[in-house]
Amino acid sequence: EVQLQASGGGLVQTGGSLRLSCTTSGFTFDDYAIGWFRSAPGKEREGVSCISNRDYTTYYADSVKGRFTVSSDDAENTVYLLMSSLKPEDTAVYYCAAAPTCYKYYSAGYFYTSIHAADFASWGRGTLVTVSS
């Protein structure tokens, strides 16, 4: 049975940091990508980051680029999301999910990595991150 569990959320002040963990089981970790998504009241779900455990390519949404870092620990079958310089608008429930790959596309001579929620069939329970102003 495929299982994912996000943890590590909490209350933090603006400018602070948190590290989220996504522990996984029930599938071959190295063959999958792990995506991070967040949902906040009144906002559409946002794909925040993705890491492919096959080639370690990564993706970050513009809203978190330069502040969030995704990493993968193959030995622990766990993916981490280090969130720094947190802002009140980062407040949300954060989820991790598994897919065969992050979304990749070709444009103007280059390959790019992105994230599509529809590609992720397995989702874990979320963890709440609250950033106080």
Side-chain angles (χ1 to χ4, degrees), residues 8 10 25 27 38 40 44 61 65 72 75 86-87 90-91 101 104 107 114 120 123 131:
S25 63
F27 60 98
R38 65 186 181 186
E44 290 188 4
K65 199 172 294 182
S72 183
L86 283 163
K87 306 174 182 180
D90 294 318
T91 295
T101 182
K104 298 184 187 295
S107 175
S114 185
F120 292 79
W123 292 74
V131 184

Side-chain angles (χ1 to χ4, degrees), residues 82-98:
L82 176 61
M83 308 185 296
S84 303
S85 302
L86 283 163
K87 306 174 182 180
E89 51 264 44
D90 294 318
T91 295
V93 177
Y94 285 72
Y95 301 87
C96 60

Side-chain angles (χ1 to χ4, degrees), residues 1-96:
E1 179 186 4
V2 175
Q3 291 188 333
L4 301 98
Q5 177 65 61
S7 62
L11 175 64
V12 63
Q13 292 185 334
T14 296
S17 298
L18 279 176
R19 189 180 76 161
L20 304 184
S21 300
C22 176
T23 55
T24 73
S25 63
F27 60 98
T28 304
F29 185 77
D30 292 349
D31 289 343
Y32 279 79
I34 301 297
W36 286 97
F37 298 83
R38 65 186 181 186
S39 294
K43 297 182 180 179
E44 290 188 4
R45 180 176 56 187
E46 179 182 18
V48 172
S49 181
C50 190
I51 182 167
S52 170
N53 287 323
R54 292 186 181 184
D55 58 14
Y56 299 104
T57 53
T58 59
Y59 162 81
Y60 298 96
D62 287 343
S63 57
V64 306
K65 199 172 294 182
R67 300 187 298 121
F68 289 14
T69 303
V70 64
S71 61
S72 183
D73 185 335
D74 294 347
E76 298 294 331
N77 289 352
T78 299
V79 169
Y80 300 99
L81 186 68
L82 176 61
M83 308 185 296
S84 303
S85 302
L86 283 163
K87 306 174 182 180
E89 51 264 44
D90 294 318
T91 295
V93 177
Y94 285 72
Y95 301 87
C96 60

